[in-house]
Amino acid sequence: MNTLFDKIWDKHVVKNIPDGPTQLYIDRLYCHEVTSPQAFDGMRARGLKCFRPGQIICMPDHNTQTHDQDKPIADPVSRKQVETLERNCKEFGLTHYGMMSPDNGIIHVVGPEKGLSLPGMTIVCGDSHTSTHGAMGAVAFGIGTSEVEMVMASQCILQQKPKSMRITINGKLNDGVVAKDVALYLMSRLTTSGATGYFVEYAGPVVEAMSMEGRLTLCNLSIEMGARGGFIAPDETTFAYLKDKPYAPKGKAWDEAVAYWKTLRSGDDAVFDQELSFDAADIEPRITYGTNPGMGIGITENIPGLGDIDDSGKTSFMKALAYMGFEPGERLLGKPIDYVFLGACTNGRIEDFRTFANIVRGKKKAPGIVAWLVPGSWKVYQQICDEGIETILTEAGFEVRQPGCSACLAMNDDKVPVGKYCVSTSNRNFEGRQGLGARTLLVSPLVAAAAAITGKITDPRQYL
């Protein structure tokens, strides 16, 4: 029996090229302002129109400021990219959700919340974290700018078929452990290259018990293990999430869609190229200490000692610690921090804000802490207001900003200064990722909230 990945992939094959790649049909192309300009220029130079413009959705997110969005972007490069996307969309007749549009936000947040990403789809975007949409039961992956142009022109792409991997998480998560911790744990075990060449299916009791928003977080981070993408078989949780979404099927079409979606499962006798299993009991709240997402530990653990590191990795290990200002064997609990960032396509959804608010309710932001709380979309922003979360956060000394990628990456105003420590719910902690010389510690919304009210790295379980 084929795996679920095989089922979706094979259904979208247009042509298999002997000794070459597969011509794969793409159901949905997402475009943002950073990786699309050259693709549009290429289309224009060849006199081409988009083959199926109705299947392309565009919005700015990387360069947008998270305050005063009704005013022009101050940075000329960012402003040009955002304005260029709008012009290109008008010229090519594409759907464009611009700044201040109620439909705008981070593209990987908006797609699922509007029902644009559906089970069984093939989905691409010129962004590595396109794997997020795999939580819907879709084959979703990032592509390069030349490939964006290819999909615009033909609604197809040339790809080598990846190998299949299934990761099963057994048991039940401990208190204070959420999907972000599961992902950080997997990265520490597999390393940032352990899933290279694979498409990962997440399975097991822990995954089945996750909310859709938890699943979106888990799939978002698949790329950080080197995977081509990650996905989860659709189930009743998926269907309940999608029901009545703006772009989801309606009426009889909904019933027919769900009947099909229920067939999207790997068979009991499906054979994967690799299978791995982990026990949820081994996972506690996590935090990274280095400069790649795989350099992480449980929050009560110490940074590995030099003797725990393979000889081939000692140089890079020490280089990462030097950048972060840490020592081998050091304990992170109690370390003072400077910034807290809640947001990104990893943790910018309403569930993340509810979690953060539950910790800080009735408390105060620590003196000297700069906190950026950035919803992933205008819909999330509205939910924050409607549910009274904004009031809770404001009374605790926080401010809810406007939607955008924000401090996930240094492409907008929200940059962490040189040498400052940022406890961040984003997806990458590379050198300079949040600003030149910035030091990033990746965590869950729970750990971020605990740090925000204490001003230091704190185990959030004492506040549950």
Side-chain angles (χ1 to χ4, degrees):
M1 178 69 71
N2 287 343
T3 67
L4 172 54
F5 176 74
D6 291 327
K7 290 180 182 180
I8 298 174
W9 181 278
D10 294 348
K11 186 172 182 177
H12 288 79
V13 170
V14 176
K15 185 176 182 180
N16 282 310
I17 300 172
D19 302 318
T22 299
Q23 184 183 18
L24 193 72
Y25 182 78
I26 299 301
D27 293 304
R28 180 77 66 206
L29 168 65
Y30 293 115
C31 289
H32 59 68
E33 75 276 27
V34 179
T35 58
S36 64
Q38 295 90 343
F40 282 111
D41 286 345
M43 294 283 286
R44 193 177 291 113
R46 294 192 289 157
L48 297 176
K49 296 181 179 180
C50 292
F51 180 57
R52 290 193 169 161
Q55 290 167 238
I56 303 173
I57 303 293
C58 308
M59 70 190 72
D61 53 13
H62 283 55
N63 287 288
T64 58
Q65 72 262 37
T66 59
H67 56 86
D68 299 323
Q69 286 193 7
D70 56 336
K71 298 177 182 177
I73 298 173
D75 178 68
V77 175
S78 293
R79 184 171 65 251
K80 182 177 181 180
Q81 286 195 315
V82 170
E83 291 174 348
T84 297
L85 177 64
E86 183 176 9
R87 286 198 304 271
N88 282 331
C89 288
K90 286 181 180 178
E91 178 181 343
F92 285 86
L94 303 180
T95 299
H96 174 257
Y97 297 138
M99 289 172 62
M100 295 304 294
S101 161
D103 298 311
N104 178 255
I106 302 173
I107 208 160
H108 304 315
V109 174
V110 174
E113 77 178 10
K114 295 188 74 66
L116 286 161
S117 302
L118 297 171
M121 277 186 165
T122 49
I123 300 170
V124 296
C125 176
D127 186 283
S128 58
H129 293 105
T130 308
S131 57
T132 308
H133 306 268
M136 314 310 297
V139 168
F141 53 95
I143 57 177
T145 299
S146 62
E147 294 170 313
V148 171
E149 181 182 344
M150 188 186 302
V151 178
M152 286 179 175
S154 67
Q155 208 58 38
C156 293
I157 192 171
L158 297 176
Q159 286 282 294
Q160 295 287 351
K161 185 177 181 180
K163 295 179 289 185
S164 61
M165 176 189 291
R166 179 162 59 187
I167 295 179
T168 301
I169 315 292
N170 293 306
K172 182 181 178 182
L173 292 179
N174 296 311
D175 288 345
V177 177
V178 295
K180 181 66 168 288
D181 300 305
V182 174
L184 291 172
Y185 174 80
L186 293 177
M187 284 184 269
S188 71
R189 294 293 302 270
L190 272 74
T191 76
T192 52
S193 61
T196 300
Y198 291 91
F199 232 91
V200 176
E201 178 175 348
Y202 298 101
V206 167
V207 176
E208 292 167 7
M210 281 183 183
S211 66
M212 275 309 305
E213 304 210 342
R215 296 177 185 187
L216 288 160
T217 295
L218 180 61
C219 290
N220 172 271
L221 289 155
S222 303
I223 188 70
E224 308 307 338
M225 302 186 298
R228 196 72 182 89
F231 67 103
I232 296 165
D235 58 13
E236 294 300 328
T237 299
T238 319
F239 311 150
Y241 176 87
L242 286 170
K243 182 78 170 168
D244 299 325
K245 289 283 190 286
Y247 283 87
K250 304 291 189 296
K252 183 181 178 183
W254 169 262
D255 295 333
E256 292 172 349
V258 171
Y260 166 61
W261 294 342
K262 287 180 177 178
T263 70
L264 296 178
R265 307 194 68 78
S266 293
D268 293 338
D269 54 353
V271 177
F272 293 80
D273 293 301
Q274 187 172 0
E275 290 221 44
L276 298 172
S277 295
F278 298 94
D279 189 343
D282 296 332
I283 309 175
E284 69 168 344
R286 306 283 300 182
I287 188 167
T288 61
Y289 61 85
T291 54
N292 74 59
M295 300 179 77
I297 53 176
I299 198 158
T300 63
E301 297 176 342
N302 292 2
I303 295 172
L306 192 57
D308 300 321
I309 304 300
D310 185 87
D311 287 345
S312 63
K314 286 182 177 178
T315 299
S316 60
F317 173 74
M318 292 305 297
K319 180 176 181 290
L321 290 193
Y323 180 85
M324 293 297 294
F326 296 145
E327 296 290 337
E330 191 173 2
R331 186 173 175 83
L332 291 186
L333 271 179
K335 282 275 185 185
I337 54 104
D338 307 290
Y339 283 71
V340 170
F341 171 49
L342 173 67
C345 58
T346 315
N347 286 120
R349 300 175 180 83
I350 187 60
E351 188 175 281
D352 303 310
F353 278 81
R354 290 170 184 154
T355 297
F356 191 97
N358 284 339
I359 294 288
V360 306
R361 184 194 305 267
K363 303 176 182 66
K364 292 292 183 182
K365 179 175 72 70
I369 292 295
V370 176
W372 291 324
L373 312 186
V374 186
S377 71
W378 279 106
K379 180 182 178 182
V380 175
Y381 182 92
Q382 191 61 52
Q383 287 175 295
I384 290 168
C385 296
D386 292 345
E387 295 182 17
I389 293 172
E390 184 180 33
T391 301
I392 294 170
L393 297 173
T394 301
E395 289 176 350
F398 297 96
E399 174 194 1
V400 179
R401 297 170 78 90
Q402 294 174 322
C405 290
S406 185
C408 178
L409 75 176
M411 283 189 181
N412 51 72
D413 292 346
D414 299 346
K415 297 180 178 70
V416 177
V418 175
K420 299 297 184 181
Y421 288 99
C422 180
V423 166
S424 176
T425 66
S426 53
N427 41 51
R428 286 181 174 162
N429 54 346
F430 305 153
E431 291 188 18
R433 172 74 177 184
Q434 293 189 295
L436 181 66
R439 294 162 164 172
T440 303
L441 302 116
L442 300 178
V443 299
S444 75
L446 280 170
V447 176
I453 58 176
T454 62
K456 57 188 178 183
I457 298 170
T458 303
D459 189 334
R461 289 173 289 191
Q462 63 187 282
Y463 293 104
L464 297 180

